[in-house]
Amino acid sequence: MRLRESARLAWRSIRGHKLRSTLTTLGVIIGVAAVITFVTLGVSLSAGILGEVGAEDASTVYVWASPPDQEGGPGQGAELVFTPRDVERLNDLEHVEAAFPWSPVPTESVAAGNETVPLRQGVYATGEAYLDPADVGEGRRFASGQREAVINPAMAERFDRNVSVGDEIGVTVPGVGRQNATVVGILATSEGQSPFEGFGSEPRAYLPADPYYTALAGGDEARYYSIAVRATGVEDVDAAREETRAYLESDESDASEFLGDDLELTLQTSEELLDQLRTVLDQLTAFVTGIAVISLLVGAIGIANIMLVSVTERTREIGIMKAVGARNRDVLTLFLTEAVILGVLGAVGGVLLGAAGGWAVTEYADLPLSYPFEWFGIAVAVGILVGVAAGLYPAWRAARTDPIEALRYE
């Protein structure tokens, strides 16, 4: 019997028991779909976040002080310890091209024209160098010491009449009141500019720390959550990091009075910070893959069980096939083909479901969709392996059926 004829007979058997076949492949579908969904999420997250790390990000070291046992993402548990004087002194270090503060500004709302929208997060006080000129889609960066602002497209579109370059916005700070700023630039994208902000497309506004933050926080007494230090080159990152740490931990810095057993410095580049995220994603994918393996095992058992039932139900058919000349190899190929078809159907269904799941989660997380196509091929290969492994024993048992006993079977 040719393979094509075996496939035709196997397909006819599967179509004759549609519900049973569908339920049989459910375990494979769920397992493959789970893996495809999470791998798609991981690849899309990498494309959306890790792809944002450019040359300047690679040479920038982010610094914050937090409790020694603090866990979480970048800046988690950061305390207000760095002063404007610390920033000024860091700018004088040999391997530091620029140092600038970064602190979120607590706000109640943002206004443009006669419209006011509530906004508790998304306004940041920082230095001019924090914004890459290449990321400014319209206008320019703000200048330190000026009452200017740069916003992202999501913030501009937050109002009924889009905010443009030259418009004035008002940021209302609790206990202080409204602070006005002229919009001098709009970023090309709404994604975050550093790991501190996250990389989602949220409304954001950037103000110069001088005058906004220093005026609000008491001039030279102001304290920042974090500092970014840009090295003179990628090859100088380690030297800039050591110089920064040496200064901040010395008695010369204002931050040193808070450092010790309660707070310790963290100095990491964007790539190092994002490596942590990549590690978390890899661990999550491995965990989900482990669950998927269990699901595939259950699916394989289901296929094997159904194939054994099918062999029993078709004992008389096997006897007739052998009576008209079918060999053991033909019977084995027939049932093995049926098991493989069930495995492949489960894998294809899982790929389609996983692709839809991947699209849904990336849409929800507002990430660029990027499919791991190599995993689609792996899923189909796994489906074939599951079919072969699950169908081998039932097919072998069918092939060894005695034709005389089979013809007597009722």
Side-chain angles (χ1 to χ4, degrees):
M1 186 186 295
R2 292 179 299 180
L3 183 60
R4 183 176 179 181
E5 185 66 16
S6 297
R8 189 184 69 79
L9 292 175
W11 181 244
R12 187 182 67 181
S13 174
I14 292 172
R15 291 189 61 186
H17 304 87
K18 292 179 181 177
L19 180 60
R20 188 173 73 181
S21 300
T22 301
L23 294 175
T24 301
T25 58
L26 204 55
V28 181
I29 291 174
I30 293 174
V32 171
V35 172
I36 295 295
T37 298
F38 276 88
V39 173
T40 300
L41 176 62
V43 172
S44 299
L45 200 56
S46 296
I49 296 179
L50 304 182
E52 296 295 322
V53 180
E56 289 196 344
D57 292 310
S59 62
T60 301
V61 179
Y62 295 92
V63 187
W64 69 94
S66 59
D69 56 350
Q70 181 68 49
E71 296 181 355
Q76 193 71 30
E79 298 289 350
L80 295 161
V81 299
F82 308 108
T83 65
R85 176 176 168 275
D86 286 335
V87 177
E88 186 179 339
R89 295 293 298 273
L90 289 174
N91 270 297
D92 295 333
L93 298 179
E94 180 183 356
H95 294 95
V96 174
E97 179 183 290
F100 39 90
W102 182 95
S103 276
V105 178
T107 58
E108 289 180 350
S109 61
V110 176
N114 297 323
E115 186 179 0
T116 301
V117 297
L119 189 74
R120 295 184 60 189
Q121 298 178 342
V123 179
Y124 305 107
T126 184
E128 179 181 350
Y130 180 72
L131 300 174
D132 186 345
D135 292 335
V136 181
E138 184 181 352
R140 59 174 174 81
R141 296 184 297 180
F142 59 69
S144 294
Q146 302 299 315
R147 303 191 75 80
E148 298 175 341
V150 173
I151 62 176
N152 67 1
M155 177 65 82
E157 296 167 1
R158 188 71 184 273
F159 300 92
D160 293 338
R161 186 183 72 83
N162 284 2
V163 177
S164 305
V165 173
D167 290 345
E168 186 174 89
I169 63 172
V171 178
T172 301
V173 180
V176 177
R178 174 167 168 154
Q179 302 291 311
N180 293 326
T182 301
V183 176
V184 296
I186 297 178
L187 298 177
T189 71
S190 295
E191 296 172 350
Q193 300 299 301
S194 77
F196 289 124
E197 303 174 26
F199 290 90
S201 300
E202 306 295 333
R204 296 183 177 93
Y206 304 91
L207 305 174
D210 175 20
Y212 288 99
Y213 192 83
T214 52
L216 295 175
D220 291 339
E221 302 299 323
R223 296 273 180 172
Y224 301 115
Y225 279 103
S226 60
I227 295 174
V229 176
R230 183 164 298 152
T232 49
V234 176
E235 66 281 2
D236 297 327
V237 168
D238 290 338
R241 188 202 314 256
E242 293 307 314
E243 289 176 355
T244 300
R245 180 183 290 280
Y247 166 73
L248 292 174
E249 291 181 343
S250 71
D251 294 337
E252 297 179 31
S253 76
D254 296 327
S256 62
E257 63 179 294
F258 296 106
L259 302 179
D261 294 337
D262 296 332
L263 294 176
E264 67 177 14
L265 289 174
T266 300
L267 298 92
Q268 291 186 320
T269 64
S270 289
E271 288 188 341
E272 291 169 341
L273 292 169
L274 294 175
D275 277 344
Q276 296 178 352
L277 178 60
R278 188 187 285 113
T279 301
V280 172
L281 285 174
D282 289 344
Q283 291 175 345
L284 183 62
T285 301
F287 176 73
V288 173
T289 302
I291 296 176
V293 168
I294 296 174
S295 180
L296 289 173
L297 182 61
V298 173
I301 293 173
I303 291 176
N305 183 48
I306 290 303
M307 292 307 302
L308 286 171
V309 172
S310 180
V311 169
T312 303
E313 289 179 346
R314 295 159 66 186
T315 300
R316 189 172 181 81
E317 179 186 339
I318 294 171
I320 294 174
M321 289 175 61
K322 288 196 169 184
V324 298
R327 296 166 295 180
N328 288 350
R329 185 177 64 185
D330 298 327
V331 177
L332 186 136
T333 302
L334 173 63
F335 283 91
L336 203 56
T337 302
E338 187 172 333
V340 169
I341 289 176
L342 286 173
V344 171
L345 286 176
V348 172
V351 167
L352 295 177
L353 185 62
W359 173 82
V361 295
T362 53
E363 281 291 308
Y364 179 77
D366 195 19
L367 292 169
L369 178 61
S370 182
Y371 281 124
F373 290 106
E374 67 275 15
W375 279 86
F376 292 8
I378 293 174
V380 175
V382 168
I384 295 173
L385 288 176
V386 168
V388 170
L392 206 53
Y393 173 69
W396 174 79
R397 182 175 169 182
R400 287 176 55 86
T401 302
D402 185 285
I404 303 299
E405 295 296 325
L407 289 171
R408 289 176 179 170
Y409 183 80
E410 295 294 340

